[in-house]
Amino acid sequence: MRCPVAAVVVAYESGRELPACLESLEGRVSSAVVVNNSPVASAPAGLRSRHSWAEWIDNPSNPGFAAAVNQGVAATSEPYVLLLNPDCELLTDLDPLVAACGPAGVAGAGGLLIGPDSTPQVGFTVRSLPTPWALAFEVLGLNRLWRRNPVNRRYRLLDLDPRRELEVEQPAGAFLLLRREALEAVGGMDERFRPVWFEDVDLCRRLLDAGFTLRFVPDAIASHVGGHAVRRLPVEARLEAWYGGLLRYAEKHFPRRVFGRLRFSVLVGLVLRKLYWTAAGRSSATAGAYGAVLSRLRRGFPSRTGAC
């Protein structure tokens, strides 16, 4: 069923994923914008003509996910905006998400993401906003060694009942419906998060700080592969983006002293990972990538002034 929703799909070398994504959107949204962040067009032959109802924006270089989302939002006018990753395929209509956003003060709602095996992606679909402890456990590798530790259980909501609708802090940006007026009230996505990671976390934090609420609605479902674009980045670029995004978020939202301690935890974690990959002898390139990111972080990025 078509809803007053504009879908924004940010693509980066997503030619294999886009056909199923766009086919699942057709007839369910009022409009769609594909913002292509690949320097070379990645749409398969005939895809654009087959989906002529969608608008395409081709960026000559990759400005990052956040900037592309803002481009897509600016190119549409519907009261609701759906952020949908190209490796997602809608399995239901969007009416449950639109209905959840009806009450005053609700900024947006995320649906249930299921993997290729049809299992709910608990731990990713919805999370709590990260605390300094949660991010410290993450960068030190503690969450990988002891996944169900109390800090990670609360952060990733590992005990979540995926069948229950509820108010949440951080629905995944991979499948998130937002009220345009709420998105505009906080100034859209922060384009300093680039090319990817933590921009959706930052957006949720700013929406909650502005007095809005967010919901999780399991009656809206999408299948999700996950990580298709970031896997196509070189290892060093991928690590730099993740650690840079994490520290960007921390510098914006945590006190200076807490930020400094978390930055130290990041450095320790990078040393441990570099030592592990070196000792394991499995990939000198990966060990070198961790070393390169460690070297750059020791020189001070990101700074409190905003350079990253």
Side-chain angles (χ1 to χ4, degrees):
M1 179 178 177
R2 192 185 299 269
C3 292
V5 173
V8 175
V9 179
V10 177
Y12 179 79
E13 298 188 9
S14 306
R16 285 176 293 181
E17 292 79 15
L18 278 171
C21 176
L22 291 175
E23 286 164 15
S24 75
L25 282 169
E26 191 164 5
R28 287 181 165 137
V29 295
S30 298
S31 67
V33 179
V34 179
V35 185
N36 180 19
N37 274 354
S38 305
V40 178
S42 60
L47 182 62
R48 299 187 188 215
S49 59
R50 195 157 63 245
H51 296 285
S52 57
W53 57 276
E55 180 180 350
W56 296 75
I57 299 174
D58 290 307
N59 286 320
S61 60
N62 184 2
F65 179 81
V69 166
N70 290 342
Q71 279 182 287
V73 172
T76 61
S77 59
E78 284 83 350
Y80 298 99
V81 176
L82 175 70
L83 306 186
L84 190 70
N85 280 9
D87 59 352
C88 286
E89 181 180 351
L90 290 182
L91 302 180
T92 65
D93 289 335
L94 298 171
D95 302 74
L97 295 181
V98 173
C101 292
V106 178
L112 175 65
L113 291 167
I114 62 173
D117 60 355
S118 299
T119 301
Q121 293 181 332
V122 174
F124 177 79
T125 292
V126 60
R127 296 178 180 178
S128 299
L129 288 172
T131 64
W133 278 112
L135 295 180
F137 272 45
E138 193 76 9
V139 299
L140 292 172
L142 297 176
N143 290 339
R144 189 177 291 269
L145 294 171
W146 181 19
R147 185 171 184 266
R148 296 195 67 85
N149 70 72
V151 173
N152 197 40
R153 282 173 63 187
R154 184 188 178 282
Y155 170 45
R156 285 192 161 84
L157 299 178
L158 297 181
D159 300 318
L160 174 77
D161 180 354
R163 300 163 298 181
R164 178 171 165 248
E165 180 176 340
L166 72 161
E167 185 176 319
V168 295
E169 293 181 344
Q170 188 203 148
F175 179 30
L176 178 60
L177 185 83
L178 293 162
R179 294 175 67 100
R180 181 179 296 273
E181 61 182 22
L183 190 56
E184 292 176 347
V186 297
M189 283 200 164
D190 186 342
E191 298 182 9
R192 292 176 298 172
F193 289 89
R194 59 186 303 266
V196 70
W197 271 312
F198 284 90
E199 64 286 303
D200 56 340
V201 187
D202 170 73
L203 175 64
C204 290
R205 172 69 182 258
R206 288 185 289 118
L207 286 167
L208 296 181
D209 286 348
F212 293 104
T213 60
L214 295 162
R215 299 198 63 80
F216 167 62
V217 183
D219 288 340
I221 305 172
S223 64
H224 177 233
V225 177
H228 83 282
V230 295
R231 284 196 295 267
R232 292 164 190 165
L233 292 172
V235 175
E236 185 176 330
R238 192 188 319 159
L239 295 176
E240 190 170 299
W242 190 79
Y243 285 104
L246 183 152
L247 289 173
R248 165 73 62 216
Y249 180 87
E251 73 165 356
K252 280 189 69 175
H253 300 294
F254 299 155
R256 180 181 294 271
R257 181 180 301 176
V258 174
F259 169 76
R261 290 172 179 169
L262 183 59
R263 182 174 176 275
F264 178 75
S265 297
V266 167
L267 296 176
V268 171
L270 283 167
V271 169
L272 293 175
R273 282 174 166 81
K274 183 178 186 299
L275 291 174
Y276 167 78
W277 282 98
T278 300
R282 292 165 57 187
S283 172
S284 59
T286 301
Y290 276 110
V293 175
L294 172 64
S295 177
R296 186 172 178 197
L297 279 173
R298 289 177 62 188
R299 294 199 300 270
F301 95 102
S303 69
R304 302 288 301 192
T305 61
C308 185

